[in-house]
């Protein structure tokens, strides 16, 4: 039987343990100690060293008690800022919030708490289960950095569940976009803005003129792009010799992403160079798309679990990436499950206790099959 008091206390312990991206050392130690008490080894990789952080990704292997396909469950350990000194408050409405000056950290510690409670129930009730792997990643909030460095050849599972969607339990995300990060650079020529501006080439102006020729926002039902940061110039009285613009492009279809990115690059370079400047465009592919069919076993297993709990499964699409994007890109069928966290990345973040309970129940039903 699920121990709600233990679940809530564990969740509060987790969120009150600081783990802002790159500083996951305390939560790593907590998890290692938790699993050691249950006789499980926690394997830590070198992602922390590579990224300059306190912790690597953690992998826990659970031997099977019955035959069945190995299952992977994944959540991330890090949080965004302001995420230090969190104090959780339980309201009379059975909702857990922070005191209001920090985030709560239910993204993604609601998932971690649910996984730990589910495993304790399996131990206490000697529930049958196939081989399981728990993956806890670092620096997910900084661009899925931890999962990108994880060696997925270490895993047995070909079916995986990330618990990191802010919709209610019963939501199964089967579609999400691929994304490119794009940096646009203009090299102009400095000159004094009052004495001899005609000798200069204003990189900011050229960037603006190029951007004016380029699409921004919603391109079609599958595709978006954006320009988010612009930096340039040295002083108000100097013709700006350089300007950099950071943007992105996303699409649920790889061919559309590639086509849009190529068009953005060509338009930018051609416009800038036609105006006498020099341009470069730097492109980084951040993560692949997810496009799972509703009848795939990873989806059906989650849908069956939801129905057993009286929840109507809802197949969903999202406009963002998650560790599920990276896992799918490694050839492991993976959905992202709704865990009920709300207003994430804000000081108004909260989670309902009833949703935490449902998260645990859903994990157990997925394991049951």
């Amino acid at each position: 039987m699920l121990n709600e008091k233990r679940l809530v206390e564990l969740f509060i312990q987790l969120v009150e343990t600081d783990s802002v991206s790159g500083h996951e050392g305390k939560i790593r130690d907590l998890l290692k100690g938790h699993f050691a008490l249950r006789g499980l080894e926690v394997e830590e990789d070198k992602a922390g060293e590579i990224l300059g952080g306190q912790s690597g990704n953690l992998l826990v292997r659970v031997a099977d008690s019955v035959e069945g396909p190995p299952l992977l469950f994944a959540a991330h350990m890090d949080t965004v800022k302001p995420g230090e000194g969190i104090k959780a408050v339980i309201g009379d409405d059975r909702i857990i919030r922070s005191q209001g000056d920090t985030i709560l950290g239910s993204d993604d510690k609601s998932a971690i708490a649910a996984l730990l409670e589910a495993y304790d129930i399996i131990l206490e009730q000697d529930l049958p289960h196939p081989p399981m792997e728990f993956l806890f990643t670092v620096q997910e909030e900084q661009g899925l950095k931890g999962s990108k460095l994880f060696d997925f050849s270490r895993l047995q599972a070909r079916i995986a569940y990330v618990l990191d969607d802010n919709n209610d339990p019963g939501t199964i995300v089967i579609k999400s976009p691929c994304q490119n990060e794009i940096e646009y650079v203009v090299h102009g020529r400095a000159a004094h803005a009052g004495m001899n501006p005609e000798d200069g080439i204003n990189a900011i102006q050229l960037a603006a003129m190029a951007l004016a020729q380029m699409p921004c926002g919603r391109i079609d039902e599958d595709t978006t792009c954006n320009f988010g940061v612009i930096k340039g110039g040295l002083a108000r009285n100097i013709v700006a010799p350089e300007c950099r613009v950071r943007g992105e492009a996303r699409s649920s279809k790889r061919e559309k992403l590639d086509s849009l990115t190529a068009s953005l690059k060509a338009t930018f370079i051609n416009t800038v160079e036609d105006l006498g400047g020099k341009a470069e465009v730097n492109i980084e592919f951040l993560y692949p798309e997810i496009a799972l069919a509703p009848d795939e076993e990873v989806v059906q297993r989650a849908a069956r679990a939801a129905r057993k709990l009286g929840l109507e499964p809802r197949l969903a699409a999202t406009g963002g990436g998650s560790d599920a994007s990276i896992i799918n890109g490694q050839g492991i069928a993976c959905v992202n499950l709704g865990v009920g966290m709300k207003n994430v990345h804000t000081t108004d973040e909260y989670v309902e206790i009833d949703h935490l309970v449902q998260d645990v129940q859903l994990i157990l039903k997925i394991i049951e099959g």
Side-chain angles (χ1 to χ4, degrees):
M1 184 175 180
L2 189 149
N3 187 328
E4 182 180 294
K5 181 175 182 292
R6 178 177 65 191
L7 171 63
V8 171
E9 289 177 350
L10 175 59
F11 173 74
I12 290 175
Q13 181 186 19
L14 288 167
V15 298
E16 292 186 350
T17 301
D18 293 351
S19 62
V20 170
S21 295
H23 300 273
E24 298 96 341
K26 291 180 181 179
I27 196 75
R28 173 202 58 200
D29 294 344
L30 189 158
L31 291 174
K32 284 188 172 181
H34 184 95
F35 284 112
L37 289 174
R38 288 148 181 82
L40 294 176
E41 180 184 355
V42 178
E43 303 172 24
E44 181 178 353
D45 70 9
K46 301 296 185 181
E49 295 179 21
I50 296 170
L51 295 170
Q54 294 179 348
S55 173
N57 301 302
L58 306 181
L59 175 63
V60 181
R61 305 175 194 269
V62 180
D64 62 306
S65 65
V66 295
E67 289 188 4
L71 301 176
L72 170 66
F73 293 93
H76 64 86
M77 295 187 285
D78 63 315
T79 67
V80 298
K81 295 181 178 181
E84 296 173 328
I86 294 171
K87 294 298 179 184
V89 178
I90 304 175
D92 293 337
D93 51 5
R94 289 176 54 82
I95 292 177
I96 306 175
R97 303 175 174 87
S98 75
Q99 287 186 138
D101 56 347
T102 66
I103 61 165
L104 174 61
S106 60
D107 177 13
D108 195 23
K109 291 174 182 175
S110 54
I112 298 175
L115 286 169
L116 300 188
E117 174 63 20
Y119 183 64
D120 275 352
I121 293 171
I122 289 171
L123 288 179
E124 291 166 355
Q125 300 182 23
D126 195 23
L127 298 178
H129 59 274
M132 296 186 298
E133 295 162 322
F134 299 150
L135 176 62
F136 303 100
T137 62
V138 294
Q139 299 194 39
E140 188 270 353
E141 299 288 9
Q142 300 305 308
L144 317 179
K145 290 183 177 180
S147 58
K148 287 180 180 178
L149 290 173
F150 184 73
D151 179 4
F152 286 91
S153 69
R154 299 166 61 191
L155 301 179
Q156 286 184 299
R158 299 290 96 185
I159 294 175
Y161 297 92
V162 165
L163 297 100
D164 191 22
D165 182 70
N166 62 0
N167 287 291
D168 292 350
T171 302
I172 306 166
V173 177
I174 64 171
K175 184 178 181 181
S176 66
C178 46
Q179 181 180 359
N180 282 333
E181 181 178 78
I182 310 173
E183 181 187 48
Y184 306 89
V185 186
V186 179
H187 300 287
R189 185 167 60 241
H192 193 286
M195 299 167 107
N196 60 324
E198 60 276 357
D199 293 336
I201 299 174
N202 194 305
I204 294 175
Q205 183 185 36
L206 267 57
M209 295 174 76
L211 294 178
Q213 305 302 313
M214 299 158 68
C216 183
R218 173 70 61 185
I219 307 303
D220 59 36
E221 62 181 5
D222 300 309
T223 313
T224 62
C225 72
N226 187 54
F227 310 113
V229 178
I230 183 166
K231 293 183 178 180
L234 300 173
R236 63 169 178 78
N237 61 347
I238 300 175
V239 175
E242 183 178 279
C243 183
R244 292 175 180 265
V245 180
R246 290 176 57 199
E248 63 163 56
R250 308 183 192 216
S251 183
S252 59
K253 297 181 178 178
R254 185 76 63 92
E255 62 273 17
K256 287 188 175 183
L257 177 67
D258 292 343
S259 176
L260 173 61
T261 302
S263 175
L264 292 168
K265 178 179 179 179
T267 301
F268 188 84
I269 290 176
N270 291 339
T271 302
V272 168
E273 295 190 347
D274 285 348
L275 294 169
K278 294 182 179 179
E280 61 180 284
V281 176
N282 304 309
I283 301 164
E284 180 183 357
F285 183 67
L286 294 184
Y287 49 78
E289 69 278 11
I290 298 175
L292 294 166
D295 60 354
E296 292 193 45
E297 175 58 21
V298 66
V299 181
Q300 286 300 305
R301 193 177 186 112
R304 289 194 299 269
R307 292 190 187 99
K308 289 177 182 178
L309 297 176
L311 302 173
E312 184 59 36
R314 185 174 76 87
L315 304 186
T318 181
S322 71
D323 282 341
S325 305
I326 304 303
I327 295 170
N328 269 283
Q330 294 293 321
I332 302 170
C334 180
V335 297
N336 193 1
L337 299 176
V339 293
M341 52 194 180
K342 304 298 181 185
N343 296 339
V344 298
H345 296 193
T346 77
T347 56
D348 295 321
E349 181 184 356
Y350 69 90
V351 67
E352 298 178 22
I353 292 176
D354 289 345
H355 282 157
L356 289 176
V357 169
Q358 287 181 331
D359 294 337
V360 177
Q361 294 170 330
L362 189 64
I363 291 166
L364 291 172
K365 292 302 181 184
I366 289 172
I367 293 169
E368 182 183 291

